[in-house]
Amino acid sequence: MHLAAHFPGVNATTVWADPRSRSQIDFSSFVHLARTAERGRFDFFFLAEGLRLREHNGRIHDLDVVGRPESLTVLNALAAVTERLGLAATVNATFNEPYELARRLATLDHLSAGRAAWNVVTSSDAFTGENFRRGGYLDRADRYTRAAEFVATARELWDSWTPGGESRPFAHEGKQFTISGEFTVPRSPQGHPVVIQAGDSGEGREFAASAADIIFTRHGTLEAGRDFYADVKARLAAYGRQPDDLKIMPGVTVVVGDNDAEAQERAYEIRRQQVSPQNAILAAEQLWGTGLSAYDPDGPLPEIDPVLDSGLVKGRVLHGDPFAVVARWRAIAEAKGLSLRQTVIETTTRQSFIGSPQTVAAELTAFVDERAADGFILVPHLTPGGLDDFVDRVVPLLQESGAFRSEYSGSTLRSHLGLAEPVWKG
């Protein structure tokens, strides 16, 4: 089993109102979570990225993170206070250039002695594009085209140094990039930084099968996980790859209690904290595309139809057809007698694994044994102590059963993941 830690604070999972919640920018918060993950022998520490603050009805969205530091800078600092933990940065392939980013990632890989990873994301968002000189954005159809060539170009740059330490000129000419010269950073300790891809669409799955070492997914149920796992693994052969060449790691949440009943009670309270009355209205407005402040969060769902392309929400991707999602919400609310707030809780924030340490350990192991995942990226609800319970109470059980390592066997992230060093293609 592979385990990773996602630094919380960039989505509705995080509970800022909890008195134990701390800063999302103070370096001590990053150190606490990273050292907890390393104490638990996790594979890597994962940072998300946002290139513009989201807006809601013309104002900064209340759940966005103001002052989120740049990921690679934070990870370079963490390299000095950790020894084995992998360090993964989310960096956008739409608004960066291969030479500059390949150089920064190779630098992190050297400073960390082979622990760097790059989570490749793309953007079709003109709102975000306004922050950049060329403005605008790529059409959706072009996002993965650029990303695929971006990753391939970065790998050409990393391969422009031989394993023996000799620099050779590079030249790349393609539809997205035409560059040539000499790369300034020698080949890194693990050959190339590990490449992560986050995406569930058909395009995203194909891109991961062709170019990624890890795919970060949203499938939290056993059935959905098995279907996704089988689909993505089946795509690898077309690219001359083996099933173990790509690790599938869904993002999950965990609530641990002394027993299953206590854990369920804790999970319910966490969900209520995550979806306050104000946040319930905000979530509904994002779906309906119009102001709903006149509605009672403890009353029924709005009877009006969604407003498409209203511009109410900027910088946030809506997953699915709003009409279909509203119909599903209404069906759930009617079947279970739920209010608007209860419906938001029911549909958006259910924890993935809830129970005693023994229950959680058994369920995680079952996911891996039944080929629904190769491991998990844990998304805590508290910054920075949300991983403590899991590492102290669940990890020892996973280690005792042999489902998870008791000690690191290597020093690089590739060794943790069981991935071979890339063949040099200079």
Side-chain angles (χ1 to χ4, degrees):
M1 182 186 302
H2 299 285
L3 294 175
H6 185 287
F7 186 81
V10 297
N11 50 43
T13 301
T14 308
V15 178
W16 294 111
D18 192 296
R20 295 168 295 173
S21 182
R22 297 291 182 264
S23 171
Q24 83 284 0
I25 190 170
D26 192 285
F27 186 56
S28 63
S29 292
F30 296 100
V31 172
H32 180 107
L33 191 74
R35 285 181 168 166
T36 302
E38 187 164 69
R39 177 165 57 83
R41 305 299 186 260
F42 277 38
D43 292 63
F44 61 92
F45 173 92
F46 183 81
L47 284 177
E49 180 179 70
L51 296 178
R52 180 165 180 174
L53 294 174
R54 294 173 292 167
E55 293 182 9
H56 185 101
N57 201 19
R59 301 177 60 189
I60 298 299
H61 191 289
D62 282 353
L63 289 180
D64 214 339
V65 177
V66 179
R68 188 193 310 169
E70 192 276 323
S71 297
L72 280 168
T73 305
V74 173
L75 295 181
N76 279 311
L78 287 177
V81 296
T82 56
E83 296 180 356
R84 299 290 187 91
L85 185 70
L87 303 168
T90 301
V91 187
N92 197 301
T94 305
F95 300 115
N96 284 282
E97 297 297 324
Y99 183 90
E100 189 266 347
L101 181 54
R103 186 167 174 259
R104 292 164 62 202
L105 287 163
T107 299
L108 173 60
D109 212 38
H110 276 283
L111 292 178
S112 65
R115 297 185 280 136
W118 170 27
N119 179 40
V120 185
V121 295
T122 64
S123 177
S124 61
D125 180 7
F127 175 72
T128 300
E130 291 173 0
N131 271 355
F132 294 86
R133 178 175 59 83
R134 65 176 177 269
Y137 61 101
L138 291 175
D139 289 333
R140 268 193 89 80
D142 294 330
R143 289 188 305 148
Y144 282 114
T145 300
R146 177 183 170 92
E149 188 175 335
F150 196 123
V151 173
T153 306
R155 285 174 167 153
E156 289 176 30
L157 295 169
W158 294 327
D159 276 344
S160 68
W161 281 75
T162 71
E166 178 185 352
S167 172
R168 298 185 177 182
F170 68 84
H172 174 91
E173 185 171 349
K175 293 183 179 180
Q176 300 292 326
F177 311 105
T178 299
I179 59 175
S180 61
E182 290 200 14
F183 195 54
T184 60
V185 185
R187 189 171 177 84
S188 62
Q190 56 178 350
H192 300 168
V194 168
V195 172
I196 307 170
Q197 194 270 335
D200 288 332
S201 67
E203 287 177 309
R205 297 180 190 202
E206 202 66 26
F207 176 50
S210 68
D213 301 304
I214 300 169
I215 184 166
F216 178 28
T217 83
R218 295 184 294 116
H219 298 283
T221 67
L222 185 62
E223 183 178 358
R226 278 194 300 227
D227 291 344
F228 181 85
Y229 190 97
D231 178 76
V232 173
K233 295 283 187 175
R235 296 172 188 252
L236 292 166
Y239 300 97
R241 305 182 70 194
Q242 300 299 315
D244 285 343
D245 291 342
L246 176 65
K247 307 301 180 183
I248 296 176
M249 299 181 68
V252 300
T253 56
V254 175
V255 179
V256 181
D258 288 342
N259 52 59
D260 291 351
E262 180 186 294
Q264 290 290 346
E265 291 178 7
R266 289 187 63 190
Y268 179 72
E269 288 306 314
I270 291 168
R271 288 199 294 273
R272 286 181 58 82
Q273 288 179 301
Q274 290 167 332
V275 185
S276 66
Q278 177 194 18
N279 290 346
I281 294 296
L282 286 173
E285 287 180 341
Q286 290 172 1
L287 178 57
W288 265 268
T290 189
L292 299 174
S293 59
Y295 285 81
D296 180 1
D298 293 318
L301 272 64
E303 297 180 354
I304 60 176
D305 289 332
V307 178
L308 299 179
D309 303 321
S310 66
L312 181 80
V313 179
K314 294 182 178 180
R316 185 179 182 89
V317 177
L318 181 64
H319 298 283
D321 171 22
F323 285 90
V325 177
V326 165
R328 181 169 64 87
W329 280 26
R330 285 175 174 155
I332 292 171
E334 182 177 354
K336 298 187 176 184
L338 303 179
S339 67
L340 171 58
R341 183 185 179 196
Q342 290 169 331
T343 303
V344 175
I345 291 173
E346 179 74 16
T347 58
T348 62
T349 58
R350 184 170 296 281
Q351 277 72 23
S352 309
F353 298 95
I354 305 170
S356 67
Q358 293 79 8
T359 296
V360 171
E363 290 182 352
L364 291 171
T365 303
F367 260 68
V368 175
D369 288 345
E370 297 189 34
R371 299 189 177 184
D374 292 310
F376 308 92
I377 298 177
L378 274 69
V379 185
H381 73 280
L382 283 179
T383 307
L387 199 63
D388 295 4
D389 262 4
F390 183 87
V391 168
D392 291 337
R393 306 181 70 185
V394 179
V395 167
L397 298 178
L398 295 172
Q399 292 170 331
E400 288 172 12
S401 70
F404 187 63
R405 70 172 66 88
S406 295
E407 294 294 340
Y408 291 111
S409 59
S411 59
T412 69
L413 178 53
R414 287 188 179 276
S415 69
H416 303 342
L417 294 165
L419 298 171
E421 182 176 320
V423 176
W424 180 65
K425 299 177 180 179

